[in-house]
Amino acid sequence: MLQTMSYEDFYLNKAVKGPRIAMKLVGSMGAVGLLLAIAGLYGLVAYNVSRRTREIGIRIALGAASSDVLRLCDGQGPSAGRDWSGDRLAMGFAVEQLMNSMLFNAGGVDTLAYVIVVPSLFLVTMLAAYVPARRATRIAPTRPCDTNNS
């Protein structure tokens, strides 16, 4: 059966609703990617903290301050994000140039995206690493060690 619609409805479906759905889809995929990055980094730092429980306990027993332990553990997160950030920025810039060459009137480099995304990813990296690092500052030096983990 043939469905008819007015030109106004046809235009709204093709020019307005389609791109809006695509923007929502891309935005939701970006949010899911960000949540996966947070969970992965949190897991990485939490695993490293759990493996270094004895060392952290010894450092606390020898008089290390909470800020020292926090700096020791929290430094793993930003270094994981910082190691490849320059390469990732260059790759993002190259992909953006490639996409601009494939599309007509796409514009130049979107500096606003870089200005917003790079610091926000750094803050997310710091937050994901801070939670297990903060937990490491509360390790009791007298806690018995689990000999099965070594």
Side-chain angles (χ1 to χ4, degrees), residues 7 24 30 39 41 59 91 108 118 126 136 142:
Y7 184 73
K24 287 181 181 179
L41 188 61
R59 286 176 186 262
M91 189 168 48
V118 172
M126 292 293 291
T142 57

Side-chain angles (χ1 to χ4, degrees), residues 27-112:
S28 62
M29 281 194 271
V32 168
L34 185 63
L35 289 175
L36 287 173
I38 291 170
L41 188 61
Y42 172 82
L44 175 73
V45 175
Y47 175 73
N48 283 336
V49 166
S50 72
R51 299 264 307 159
R52 298 174 72 181
T53 301
R54 288 183 186 164
E55 174 194 349
I56 294 168
I58 291 171
R59 286 176 186 262
I60 291 173
L62 291 175
S66 296
S67 60
D68 297 331
V69 174
L70 187 65
R71 193 175 326 115
L72 172 74
C73 298
D74 199 22
Q76 297 169 353
S79 66
R82 186 178 49 239
D83 289 345
W84 291 88
S85 62
D87 294 339
R88 290 179 185 147
L89 281 173
M91 189 168 48
F93 181 74
V95 168
E96 185 177 13
Q97 293 298 319
L98 177 68
M99 295 303 288
N100 284 339
S101 69
M102 294 175 152
L103 301 171
F104 297 107
N105 298 326
V109 176
D110 190 8
T111 56
L112 181 64

Side-chain angles (χ1 to χ4, degrees), residues 5-16:
M5 65 176 73
S6 68
Y7 184 73
E8 182 179 353
D9 292 339
F10 177 77
Y11 175 76
L12 285 175
N13 284 335
K14 293 292 182 182
V16 177

Side-chain angles (χ1 to χ4, degrees), residues 38 41 74 77-81 120-130:
I38 291 170
L41 188 61
D74 199 22
S79 66
S120 64
L121 283 178
F122 181 74
L123 289 175
V124 163
T125 302
M126 292 293 291
L127 179 67
Y130 177 77

